[in-house]
Structure formats: C-alpha cells, structure tokens
C-alpha cells in the first residue's frame, strides 16, 4: 500500500532569543541503559514499522 | 467535596492491529472476528438510534462526513456484511463499549467523574483488548499484535477520543475559545511522542502522535480533514441540558498518570469556563501552533497570538493551572494532580529524568535516542519507528512497556484489583449491573439507557446509582432505578 504522506514545506518554529530564560530540550545525556534494556531492545524487529499499515480510523 | 458540577467523562481508544498475513484491506472483517471472539462477559444488543455524528454544535448538520479516499476503496468489496454485523457491538460487565470501529478494536470506558477513575478504566480496557487479541490468535493460528497508538507512520491515523458532558449553557464559541489553547499545548505534558512526521515539515521526533493529522481548527469531521476542536453534537444525554464535548486531539497514552493528566486538564478548563475564569489566548493559527508545539522538543517555541504578541506552551499550561488554583474549589486529590502538573512543568528543565518517567513522549525520545546511538540509525528512521511501535504494543504477556516499568524507566501504574464494578457509581454502574445480573432480561442498551424486562429506562448522567448494588432481582432493580431517576 503506498504511503499517504505529503510533505509541504512549512516554516521552522520560531524560538526565543538565546539570551532569554526558558526551559531547554530534555537532557539526553543520562548514561546509556544497563544491559537488560539494551538486550531487550535488540529483540525488536527493526522492520516492524515498515510493514505496519492501518486503515484510517477516527 | 466540591460544590461545582461534576464533569462526567470517558475515553474511547481505537487500537492498531497487525495480523500475520493480513493487511488493511482485511482489517474490518478481521477485527469483527476479534471482537466477536473476545472471551469477556458482555451483552450484544447495542442500540445505535442515539447516534448522530453529522450533527454540529453550531446548529446544523452536514450531509456526509469526509472519508480518506484510500479507505473508501475498501468499502466497495462484494458481499460485505452489514455495518451492524461488522461492528459486533458489546457492552461489557463494567458498562464499557467494546466494538469494531472502522477496522480498529475500540474500547470506550464506562463513564466516570474523576480523571483517576477514567484512567483506571482505560487501563482495564487495554487489558481486555490484549486478551481479545490473544484469544483471536489462538483461534485462528495467526499471530496478532495490538497497539495503543494513533498512527501507522504511513499517513493513516486512528483516534483516542475523550468525552466530557458539559452543560449546554456553555456556548459552542466559548468552548472553542476556552479549549483550543489547552488542546494545542497539552502535548507538552500528555503527548505520546512519535518518531518522524507524516505531513508538513519533516522532523525526526515530535511530542504528539496526532498533530500531523489536524487540518482545520474547528469542524465536525473525524475520519478526514480532522479538526483540533470537533463540533459533533451527539450528547448521549438529554440534549436540552447537555453537550458532549468530543475531544479528538489527544494521544493514546501508555503511562497511567499521563492518561489521568490529559483528562484532568480538560476538566479544569471546562470548570474554569463554567466559572467565567478561563484564560484567554487567541492563537493566530491554532493548527500551525499545534504542529509547532509538537515539533518543538525544547517547548519554548513562540506561538503567535492575535495582535503582535506571542506565548509558549508552558505559559499557556501554567495559566490554566494558576486560574484553577485561584478560582476553583479543588478536592485534595485534584490539588495533588494540579501540583503534579506544575511539578512536571518545572521538571522539564530542572529534572528531565523525573519528567521522562511520567511523560510518554519524553520516555520514548530517551529510548529511541539510546537505540540510535547504539545502532547508528538515522534520526527519524523506520528502525526507530519500530521502537516507537514496540512501545505501544499491548498484546503479548511481556511487552517492551512492561519491561520499562520493571526497570523503572517509566512509572508503574496502580495495581489492578478485581473490582467488579466501575470505581464510581455513575450511570455506567447501572449499565454494568444490568449486564452482570440481568442480561437475560436486556433487549437493547446504549450510553443513555436500556430496555430491561420490557421497560425502557433512561440513565441520567448526573445521578448516583450506588444504591443499585443491593438489587438482586430484576423487579427490585427496576424499582430502584425509577426511584433514583425520579
């Protein structure tokens, strides 16, 4: 089934100036997960999303 | 207890489904089989005479609802069973509705008054759908996976809708104005997160599963040309007194407190509207603002307002919280929820670890970033979308999400107990008892009432039906119902 995706160009979000206070992007520098999670993630079929197709619902 | 009116609410979730060897062209018939075969106790006899999806709150009806042309092609198959046969409507022993909605197993929770109770019922629905999928898989021999999400990453979306019964004294325009800013910004605290984009500006990750699919600020559509604010006028209650606010802009959450939070925030906004205290933010372009919020992982993007001003998602959300704190009579439980929301707004920058444990999009972003770093996948790649999909999977005994709970990467939900009835004695309590004890006397039922032993009985949305628990024969049950309704 072909993709329904359309990709018109839109402006990127306008952000506050760098010198303004405000929340920042979440810190993703937490240490990499311990082995059990890493092993668990390796069991996921990397092609699953490519194969996943649905009817539109509401 | 608060003296303000209680806001009856519910959540209906359309689940995604993948069946070995089958595709979207088979989905409606497959899901009919899944629902039909589900092992739970239920009554089949849904009365759909109260359904009017083309009626618009603004005082008119449309001739037809828009359908995605690609899905329309599926409807023309020969020998297609009737819509009623395909829907396989069931009313569960908890007073919920479980059926096949456009090829998606849909669980609509029993109505509740509090956000906590409805989140609990939503979680129980998740378990029921998972059991149904396993039963279907055992019967057919086809591997069957179900997903609590809202997109297939290829342009098809399916909804998680919230319903809130509000007094019809609120004008439609006031509801739109009061709710839109919240619906646009709520994904910061309640978004399920999505790898990639399906419409608009490409991005590797966004806060919301649904933002890509909103094309208009306000309309009555749900299948195509979806709006941020849906104006379907189908109250499932006395229409002269109530509007059912039909919120289609939300995501399907896996984290319990995120489900609770999204309902709590809308309930606060409705109560603020009823008090005339709702914050006013006139977004210049709400649809564009929703896309901006969804793509802004820093949550500090400027959202243009009418005139020359602007705001941000945290500012909007804090305004609703501050107004509620200042003007509403909150129960202790509601005060705790408000504190939780404010704590997350603070934690977003001050304690991202805490934020990611309680907010789906942040948990998912962290997970996909780890995988990207480990495996070298490109940002927004299909391989990372597979992690996103696995996060939503509910059908196997042990899922990625249950492992994340066990490893304390996301919060654990409250323990599920074997309570036979919904947590709160709303009108769903009466429906549940009718199914549990007297279903041989039931001939039809829906949200608004049922026909029991030949008597048509209306269930009123503002009554407390707890007294029915003591009725063990059908005559006593009907007599008590009539006393409560009087």
């Amino acid at each position: 089934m072909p993709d329904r995706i359309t990709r018109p160009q839109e402006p990127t979000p306008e952000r506050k100036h760098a010198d303004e206070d405000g929340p920042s992007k979440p810190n993703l520098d937490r240490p990499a997960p311990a082995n059990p999670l890493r092993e668990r993630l390796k069991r996921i079929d990397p092609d699953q999303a490519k194969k996943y197709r649905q009817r539109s619902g509401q | 207890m608060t003296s303000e009116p209680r806001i009856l609410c519910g959540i209906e979730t359309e689940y995604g489904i993948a069946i070995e060897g089958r595709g979207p062209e088979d989905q409606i018939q497959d899901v009919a089989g899944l629902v039909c075969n589900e092992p739970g106790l239920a009554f089949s006899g849904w009365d759909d005479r109260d359904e009017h999806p083309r009626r618009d709150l603004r005082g008119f009806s449309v001739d037809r609802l828009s359908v995605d042309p690609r899905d329309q092609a599926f409807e023309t198959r020969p020998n297609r069973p009737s819509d009623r046969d395909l829907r396989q409507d069931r009313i569960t022993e908890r007073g919920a509705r479980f059926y096949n909605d456009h090829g998606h197993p849909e669980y609509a929770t029993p109505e509740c008054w509090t956000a906590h109770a409805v989140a609990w019922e939503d979680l129980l629905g998740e378990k029921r759908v998972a059991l149904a999928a396993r039963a279907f898989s055992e019967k057919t021999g086809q591997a069957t996976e179900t997903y609590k999400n809202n997109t297939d990453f290829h342009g098809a979306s399916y909804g998680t809708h919230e319903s809130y019964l509000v007094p019809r004294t609120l004008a439609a325009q006031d509801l739109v104005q009061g709710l839109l800013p919240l619906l646009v910004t709520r994904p910061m605290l309640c978004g399920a997160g999505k790898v990639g984009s399906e419409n608009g500006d490409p991005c590797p990750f966004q806060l919301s599963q649904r933002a890509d699919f909103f094309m208009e600020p306000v309309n009555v559509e749900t299948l195509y040309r979806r709006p941020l604010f849906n104006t379907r006028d189908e109250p499932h209650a006395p229409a002269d007194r109530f509007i059912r606010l039909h919120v289609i802009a939300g995501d399907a959450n896996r984290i319990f407190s995120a489900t609770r939070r999204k309902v709590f925030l809308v309930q606060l906004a409705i109560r603020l509207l009823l008090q005339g205290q709702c914050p006013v933010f006139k977004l210049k372009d709400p649809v564009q603002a929703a896309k901006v919020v969804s793509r802004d992982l820093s949550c500090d993007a400027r959202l243009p307002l009418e005139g020359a001003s602007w705001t941000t998602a945290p500012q909007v959300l804090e305004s609703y919280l501050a107004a509620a704190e200042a003007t509403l009579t909150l129960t202790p439980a509601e005060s705790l929820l408000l504190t939780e929301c404010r704590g997350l707004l603070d934690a977003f920058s001050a304690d991202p670890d805490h934020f990611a444990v309680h907010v789906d999009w942040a948990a998912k972003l962290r997970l996909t970033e780890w995988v990207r770093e480990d495996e070298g996948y490109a940002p927004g790649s299909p391989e990372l979308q597979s992690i996103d999909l696995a996060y939503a999977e509910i059908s196997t005994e042990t899922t990625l999400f249950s492992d994340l709970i066990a490893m304390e990467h996301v919060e654990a939900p409250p323990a599920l107990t074997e309570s036979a009835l919904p947590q709160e004695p709303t009108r769903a309590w009466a429906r549940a008892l009718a199914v549990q004890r007297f279903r041989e006397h039931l001939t039809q039922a829906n949200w608004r009432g049922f026909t029991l032993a030949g008597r048509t009985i209306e269930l009123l949305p503002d009554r407390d039906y707890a007294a029915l628990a003591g009725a063990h024969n059908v005559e006593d049950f009907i007599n008590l119902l009539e006393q409560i309704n009087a």
Side-chain angles (χ1 to χ4, degrees):
Chain A
M1 187 180 179
D3 290 1
R4 310 172 198 218
I5 301 172
T6 58
R7 297 186 186 280
Q9 291 300 304
E10 292 178 8
T12 52
E14 187 180 1
R15 297 176 193 284
K16 287 182 177 179
H17 299 301
D19 58 350
E20 291 182 26
D21 290 332
S24 58
K25 183 177 175 179
N27 175 14
L28 299 171
D29 297 334
R30 189 182 183 190
N35 283 338
L37 180 55
R38 198 184 298 256
E39 291 306 310
R40 175 68 180 86
L41 292 167
K42 284 181 177 164
R43 299 211 310 265
I44 294 167
D45 174 4
D47 293 328
Q48 186 68 17
K50 284 182 191 164
K51 296 180 282 191
Y52 186 60
R53 292 288 195 285
Q54 296 290 288
R55 283 182 60 108
S56 286
Q58 297 202 63
Chain B
M1 288 291 291
T2 175
S3 59
E4 296 165 27
R6 294 180 291 196
I7 309 295
L8 198 71
C9 61
I11 298 174
E12 48 192 289
T13 300
E14 298 167 37
Y15 287 80
I17 186 162
I19 300 172
E20 183 182 13
R22 309 285 282 178
E25 64 277 13
D26 309 307
Q27 207 172 319
I28 285 188
Q29 296 212 4
D30 286 344
V31 171
L34 181 144
V35 175
C36 178
N37 189 55
E38 69 113 7
L41 178 65
F43 167 72
S44 305
W46 184 259
D47 176 6
D48 59 10
R49 286 176 297 176
D50 210 28
E51 297 184 4
H52 309 288
R54 292 183 286 111
R55 282 189 192 163
D56 193 300
L57 274 180
R58 294 167 292 182
F60 56 87
S61 289
V62 295
D63 292 335
R64 66 175 66 85
L65 296 169
S66 302
V67 178
D68 187 324
R70 293 177 192 274
D71 291 307
Q72 186 68 51
F74 299 141
E75 309 292 347
T76 56
R77 304 179 92 188
N79 304 319
R80 186 178 185 273
S82 71
D83 285 347
R84 180 181 285 269
D85 286 342
L86 288 171
R87 278 204 310 271
Q88 289 293 330
D89 264 299
R90 269 138 175 77
I91 300 174
T92 76
E93 77 276 21
R94 297 187 72 80
R97 183 185 183 189
F98 184 38
Y99 74 118
N100 170 21
D101 191 12
H102 299 275
H104 297 272
E106 171 165 326
Y107 188 90
T109 67
E111 307 93 316
C112 302
W113 284 309
T114 64
H116 184 86
V118 79
W120 173 275
E121 296 296 338
D122 181 67
L123 186 58
L124 288 169
E126 194 178 305
K127 306 298 177 197
R128 187 157 188 139
V129 174
L131 286 173
R134 279 180 231 154
F136 180 77
S137 185
E138 284 168 16
K139 183 180 180 188
T140 62
Q142 294 166 298
T144 302
E145 293 182 336
T146 43
Y147 301 93
K148 195 180 186 191
N149 64 357
N150 306 106
T151 176
D152 72 350
F153 306 105
H154 296 88
S157 183
Y158 35 97
T160 299
H161 300 172
E162 303 142 58
S163 292
Y164 303 88
L165 211 58
V166 301
R168 199 168 279 270
T169 49
L170 279 176
Q173 185 52 39
D174 291 341
L175 276 168
V176 172
Q177 196 166 85
L179 267 294
L180 262 185
L182 179 67
L183 298 180
V184 166
T185 56
R186 192 177 59 158
M188 180 187 174
L189 295 181
C190 314
K194 178 168 81 172
V195 174
S197 60
E198 292 165 271
N199 285 298
D201 203 16
C203 66
F205 189 92
Q206 52 183 312
L207 277 57
S208 162
Q209 293 249 306
R210 289 278 271 181
D212 281 343
F213 300 99
F214 298 117
M215 299 168 73
E216 296 180 15
V218 181
N219 73 33
V220 74
E221 305 288 348
T222 54
L223 286 161
Y224 197 53
R225 292 177 49 236
R226 296 182 186 89
L228 277 168
F229 187 99
N230 181 250
T231 50
R232 180 185 294 181
D233 189 7
E234 190 183 51
H236 299 308
D240 57 334
R241 295 176 56 207
F242 294 103
I243 289 170
R244 178 176 63 111
L245 179 64
H246 190 223
V247 173
I248 70 167
D251 287 350
N253 293 103
R254 297 302 315 275
I255 292 178
F256 177 86
S257 74
T259 303
R260 181 174 62 188
R261 194 176 309 126
K262 75 181 171 190
V263 172
F264 174 66
L265 286 169
V266 173
Q267 285 185 322
L268 283 189
I270 293 168
R271 289 165 64 183
L272 287 168
L273 274 168
L274 288 167
Q275 300 271 352
Q277 300 288 348
C278 200
V280 177
F281 291 94
K282 294 187 177 177
L283 294 166
K284 188 174 280 182
D285 183 344
V287 173
Q288 177 63 13
K291 294 183 193 307
V292 167
V293 167
S294 188
R295 284 162 162 73
D296 176 28
L297 305 188
S298 298
C299 296
D300 63 353
R302 289 182 174 187
L303 309 176
L305 299 170
E306 288 182 8
S309 189
W310 52 270
T311 186
T312 65
Q315 286 174 1
V316 172
L317 292 166
E318 172 54 32
S319 293
Y320 281 89
L321 297 177
E325 194 171 42
T327 64
L328 299 181
T329 306
L330 300 175
T331 65
E334 289 166 345
S335 293
L336 282 175
L337 289 181
L338 191 145
T339 302
E340 173 195 293
C341 293
R342 185 167 277 148
L344 287 172
L345 288 176
D346 293 339
F348 176 73
S349 50
D351 189 355
D353 283 348
H354 176 78
F355 190 85
V357 168
H358 300 289
V359 179
D360 283 300
W361 74 262
K364 190 182 287 182
L365 174 62
R366 171 162 278 164
L367 201 63
T368 55
E369 285 294 286
W370 286 333
V371 174
R372 187 175 68 79
E373 288 165 9
D374 282 356
E375 305 293 338
Y377 295 136
S381 64
E383 291 81 4
L384 297 180
Q385 289 176 327
S386 294
I387 303 296
D388 186 341
L389 191 58
Y391 185 93
E393 202 255 310
I394 64 161
S395 40
T396 49
E397 292 281 359
T398 303
T399 63
L400 173 61
F401 192 77
S402 68
D403 287 341
L404 290 172
I405 291 172
M407 295 178 204
E408 300 183 343
H409 288 285
V410 296
E411 69 175 44
L416 290 174
T417 56
E418 294 295 323
S419 80
L421 287 165
Q423 282 203 337
E424 297 169 335
T426 67
R427 66 183 183 179
W429 183 284
R431 194 182 310 113
L433 280 169
V435 172
Q436 287 179 23
R437 297 179 184 172
F438 311 116
R439 65 186 174 284
E440 71 275 16
H441 299 285
L442 272 174
T443 46
Q444 58 185 8
N446 62 19
W447 297 116
R448 196 168 170 177
F450 45 67
T451 302
L452 184 68
R455 307 269 285 279
T456 298
I457 297 162
E458 181 159 21
L459 300 176
L460 298 174
D462 52 358
R463 300 295 163 89
D464 183 323
Y465 287 93
L468 292 174
H472 290 278
N473 69 67
V474 70
E475 281 306 316
D476 287 352
F477 187 70
I478 291 172
N479 288 338
L480 276 170
L481 273 168
E482 289 176 344
Q483 287 173 30
I484 293 167
N485 285 349

